[in-house]
């Protein structure tokens, strides 16, 4: 169980998802403090026994681990505000802000700051997230374990050993919930055109997506074998898959993921120029 004192800066969707996960896992609410610039969102946390404040520095002063959950545009200003407190308390810093590099945060907080960058995705808000984590060279083994435990409170997390690989995490997980929504939208629309009512079309498509994912998780069998297992020669599934292949679905999906990586790289360059 986590014994470190955790300070969350920002009481928005992502920090709330992590905190809810930690509380469900049995972390003592008295070990968690959260700040937000407006008071409104803090009531939810105060009701659960957390320490709350509209002062970021007050929360930072209490924390062994500081989780920065504000929007990317606000992140470096918040870091500037916390600089003096962090110099005194030397916390492990975890940033969930998309597109802000550990080096940019270290430029503000100091080159000796252990920083973990996390790239979660929106299913985190229901405890089903998939996140990538990168640690700078100052993060020790115990801090790595602690950071992973915190982020895994709302899903799964994997380490990448180069920060540039966070862009691959964006392509396969960060942006990817939308790919599945898009595929489901198309499937539901086509099922309606084939005659099913909208409610049944959506229920069948969504449950099939969920069932397929759970089937993958429940077995050691690789993806290609699972696909072959439901593809009888000359059958309906084979007809559908042959049509997907002929129209270049593989290349389309790969190109989409590469476009996500290219955009992540552009955004990082834009953020660096904007400083
Ligand atoms: N949501 C996701 O699924 C997701 C996925 C990947 C990464 N992320 C990252 O997670 C971070 C947070 O995203 P989110 O969706 O949770 O956003 P959000 O719901 O808008 O939360 C941001 C929170 O930060 C607070 N805030 C802003 N400036 C502040 C300041 N100076 N001091 C203290 N609090 C301040 C805001 O308070 P007010 O309400 O008072 O403005 C708001 O409650 C972002 O950097 C985003 O890139 C989110």
């Amino acid at each position: 169980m986590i014994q470190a004192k955790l300070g969350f800066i920002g009481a928005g969707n992502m920090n709330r998802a992590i905190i809810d996960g930690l509380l469900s896992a049995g972390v003592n609410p008295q070990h968690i403090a959260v700040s937000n610039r407006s008071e409104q969102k803090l009531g939810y946390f105060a009701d659960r026994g957390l320490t709350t404040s509209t002062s970021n520095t007050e929360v930072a002063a209490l924390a062994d681990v500081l989780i920065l959950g504000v929007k990317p545009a606000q992140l470096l200003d918040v870091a500037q505000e916390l600089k003096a407190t962090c110099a005194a308390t030397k916390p492990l810093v975890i940033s969930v802000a998309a597109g802000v590099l550990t080096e940019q945060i270290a430029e503000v907080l100091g080159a000796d700051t252990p920083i973990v960058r996390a790239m979660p995705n929106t299913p985190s808000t229901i405890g089903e997230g998939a996140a990538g984590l990168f640690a700078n060279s100052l993060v020790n083994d115990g801090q790595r374990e602690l950071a992973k435990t915190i982020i895994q409170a709302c899903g799964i997390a994997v380490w990448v050993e180069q920060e540039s690989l966070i862009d691959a995490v964006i392509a396969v997980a960060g942006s990817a919930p939308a790919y599945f929504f898009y595929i489901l939208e198309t499937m539901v629309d086509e099922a309606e055109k084939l005659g099913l009512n909208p409610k049944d079309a959506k229920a069948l498509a969504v449950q099939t997506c969920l069932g397929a994912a759970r089937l993958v998780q429940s077995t050691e069998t690789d993806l290609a074998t699972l696909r072959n297992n439901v593809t009888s020669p000359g059958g309906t599934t084979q007809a559908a898959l042959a049509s997907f292949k002929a129209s270049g679905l593989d290349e389309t999906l790969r190109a989409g993921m590469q476009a996500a990586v290219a955009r992540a790289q552009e955004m990082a360059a834009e953020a660096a120029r904007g400083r």
Side-chain angles (χ1 to χ4, degrees):
M1 190 54 65
I2 295 172
Q3 293 304 330
K5 299 282 190 300
L6 311 179
F8 286 81
I9 308 297
N13 297 317
M14 187 46 64
N15 271 356
R16 178 166 160 170
I18 300 168
I19 294 169
D20 283 345
L22 291 167
L23 294 176
S24 301
V27 172
N28 184 345
Q30 290 174 352
H31 288 188
I32 308 176
V34 54
S35 66
N36 200 66
R37 70 177 161 194
S38 59
E39 203 155 4
Q40 202 192 358
K41 291 182 190 165
L42 292 172
Y44 174 87
F45 300 99
D47 289 348
R48 282 155 184 77
L50 277 65
T51 302
T52 61
S53 174
T54 52
S55 160
N56 294 332
T57 50
E58 209 171 282
V59 163
L62 302 171
D64 303 312
V65 184
L66 204 51
I67 299 97
L68 306 179
V70 299
K71 291 285 189 193
Q74 290 134 6
L75 199 272
L76 295 177
D77 288 343
V78 165
Q80 189 63 45
E81 185 190 344
L82 299 175
K83 182 178 178 168
T85 313
C86 289
T89 58
K90 306 226 169 291
L92 166 66
V93 173
I94 301 177
S95 163
V96 299
V100 184
L101 304 177
T102 52
E103 199 181 280
Q104 292 174 296
I105 302 170
E107 268 174 33
V108 179
L109 287 180
D112 59 345
T113 314
I115 304 172
V116 170
R117 182 175 160 202
M119 170 49 63
N121 63 9
T122 52
S124 302
T125 54
I126 55 159
E128 296 283 353
L133 300 174
F134 169 77
N136 74 3
S137 60
L138 294 149
V139 178
N140 64 35
D141 287 349
Q143 290 171 324
R144 278 174 79 101
E145 203 180 311
L146 184 55
K148 193 171 183 186
T149 305
I150 292 167
I151 298 299
Q152 287 202 145
C154 58
I156 66 152
V158 301
W159 286 105
V160 295
E161 295 310 322
Q162 294 157 37
E163 190 159 7
S164 58
L165 288 175
I166 287 288
D167 294 343
V169 173
I170 292 173
V172 75
S175 295
Y179 315 163
F180 291 106
F181 300 148
Y182 186 51
I183 290 167
L184 282 170
E185 271 178 81
T186 309
M187 285 179 65
V188 170
D189 186 59
E190 188 57 24
E192 286 177 39
K193 290 203 168 87
L194 291 168
L196 292 180
N197 70 53
K199 189 164 162 270
D200 289 348
K202 185 174 172 190
L204 290 168
V206 170
Q207 178 55 37
T208 302
C209 183
L210 205 57
R214 289 210 173 119
L215 191 57
V216 174
Q217 277 185 332
S218 73
T219 174
E220 296 288 305
T221 308
D222 64 81
L223 289 166
T225 305
L226 285 172
R227 173 169 50 77
N228 286 330
N229 288 348
V230 292
T231 312
S232 315
T236 56
T237 310
Q238 191 184 46
L241 292 174
S243 170
F244 289 152
K245 216 169 182 62
S247 55
L249 183 61
D250 300 24
E251 289 74 18
T252 302
L253 288 173
R254 287 172 201 278
M257 290 174 70
Q258 283 161 14
V261 170
R263 184 63 193 132
Q265 289 168 347
E266 267 173 27
M267 286 166 71
E270 283 165 13
R273 279 198 299 274
R275 288 210 63 214

